[in-house]
Amino acid sequence: MLHADDVTQRLYEAPPDGFVAARAEAIAAARQAGDREAAKRLAALKKPTVAAWVVNLVALRRPELIEELVELATALRAAQRELRGDELRELSTQRRQFVSSLVAAARKLAVGAGAGAAKLPLGEVEATFTAALAEPEIAEQVRTGRLIRAVSHSGFGEVPRPRLRLVTDSPDEPSAAPGRPSAAPDHPSAAPDHSEADQRRREQAQRIERRRRELERDLNAATAAERRADRQLERAEDAEREAGHLVEDLDAELAELERRRTEAVADVARRKAARRTAEREAAEARRRVGDVQAALDDLHR
């Protein structure tokens, strides 16, 4: 039997419609070889969706593409953190082009493995690669080649906090340093007007700051709610998938039991026929014994 890791790779490379049967065969082989630990590990493997299988093909057969994906994702996050606009735009263009090339490579591999091109969920495949570019954890999952479902990402990368600046009425007029009084005006009579304008600007800045904080709180609350909803959806999907795997396993067990029952019924029929033959032979033997005994009795008379 192959090593458990080799068997696992073979299972996730093969089209998912044959996953359950191949897994059952691998488990049986491991048990026959006396490798209970390998059998346990194989039994825990989950059947991938078609989209996840397509992504796994790229990770397993073209790992250099996934390494390029990780490098590009790192560069994108660095550009976002440092607010390098020109570089970020260039990298974003590269991201779109690279994801398209990944999807094309995935499609080619899947078709080469026997999948029908028209039925491939390439939208889910693209969403998974895009999510891997945005989230290091997802990229690591993709890199293993053992993804069991497609994933998506609502945003992209790290979002830096916006930098606010105060827009004054006169763009050439320098703003006063914080905590310092403004320089005295040349014309005392104009001071009240400047003070009133400064007051309006301060009030406007305060309103902007309050609004920014409110929006940040709303964003944090919405993000937390989204994460809770995603976790709940993931748990529901996992539960559904577990139930599906259980049904698949039970179906496989039922099929095996039905096969064994059919063999047992046939064996019972063979044994019944043999018993009837033996009964006929025994009756014939008893009849012959009776005939010979009768002949002997006639000789003694």
Side-chain angles (χ1 to χ4, degrees):
M1 178 183 171
L2 291 174
H3 191 273
D5 289 337
D6 297 327
V7 177
T8 298
Q9 178 170 336
R10 185 184 66 190
L11 287 172
Y12 282 101
E13 274 187 315
D17 55 358
F19 183 90
V20 173
R23 181 184 60 189
E25 180 181 348
I27 293 171
R31 288 173 177 167
Q32 186 175 3
D35 194 342
R36 298 178 61 184
E37 182 62 27
K40 183 178 179 180
R41 289 175 56 189
L42 293 170
L45 298 178
K46 306 303 182 184
K47 177 181 176 180
T49 64
V50 175
W53 167 66
V54 175
V55 173
N56 289 338
L57 280 180
V58 179
L60 295 172
R61 299 185 180 179
R62 297 291 306 277
E64 74 280 2
L65 294 180
I66 304 303
E67 295 304 320
E68 290 182 34
L69 180 149
V70 173
E71 292 176 4
L72 178 56
T74 301
L76 277 166
R77 286 192 294 273
Q80 285 183 311
R81 281 194 301 267
E82 299 172 16
L83 295 175
R84 301 196 300 264
D86 292 340
E87 183 179 353
L88 183 58
R89 283 190 291 273
E90 181 180 351
L91 288 171
S92 296
T93 300
Q94 292 181 23
R95 173 177 64 86
R96 290 190 294 271
Q97 294 172 347
F98 186 59
V99 169
S100 297
S101 67
L102 281 175
V103 173
R107 180 182 183 277
K108 182 178 180 180
L109 289 172
V111 172
K119 296 182 179 180
L120 291 175
L122 297 182
E124 295 180 44
V125 174
E126 180 179 359
T128 299
F129 285 134
T130 301
L133 279 168
E135 295 288 347
E137 295 83 1
I138 297 176
E140 286 303 317
Q141 293 175 18
V142 169
R143 180 184 272 170
T144 65
R146 299 182 183 182
L147 209 63
I148 59 174
R149 65 176 180 278
V151 294
S152 61
H153 183 73
S154 57
F156 184 77
E158 301 174 6
V159 180
R161 178 174 294 183
R163 296 180 179 177
L164 299 179
R165 66 183 181 90
L166 183 61
V167 179
T168 62
D169 294 338
S170 174
D172 296 330
E173 178 183 342
S175 59
R180 295 182 182 178
S182 301
D186 294 337
H187 302 286
S189 59
D193 293 336
H194 283 290
S195 298
E196 184 177 350
D198 289 342
Q199 180 65 25
R200 286 199 302 269
R201 284 193 292 270
R202 284 193 295 270
E203 291 176 353
Q204 181 182 8
Q206 291 172 356
R207 287 195 296 271
I208 292 174
E209 179 64 17
R210 284 196 298 271
R211 181 57 177 163
R212 182 184 68 79
R213 292 177 180 175
E214 290 175 359
L215 290 175
E216 284 187 347
R217 285 195 297 270
D218 291 344
L219 176 60
N220 291 335
T223 301
E226 180 188 27
R227 289 174 180 171
R228 288 194 298 271
D230 286 342
R231 287 194 295 269
Q232 184 176 358
L233 174 59
E234 184 176 352
R235 288 193 294 269
E237 290 175 343
D238 288 341
E240 179 185 10
R241 191 173 297 104
E242 289 290 341
H245 287 317
L246 178 60
V247 170
E248 291 171 353
D249 291 343
L250 290 174
D251 285 342
E253 292 178 10
L254 285 173
E256 175 64 16
L257 290 173
E258 183 62 28
R259 183 189 66 78
R260 292 171 59 186
R261 179 182 179 279
T262 301
E263 291 180 354
V265 169
D267 188 53
V268 168
R270 286 193 298 270
R271 293 177 184 276
K272 183 180 292 186
R275 177 183 59 79
R276 289 174 178 172
T277 300
E279 286 177 346
R280 287 194 298 271
E281 291 176 353
E284 179 64 21
R286 284 193 295 271
R287 186 186 62 77
R288 291 180 61 189
V289 168
D291 291 344
V292 172
Q293 186 64 47
L296 288 173
D297 291 344
D298 290 341
L299 288 175
H300 289 90
R301 288 177 184 175

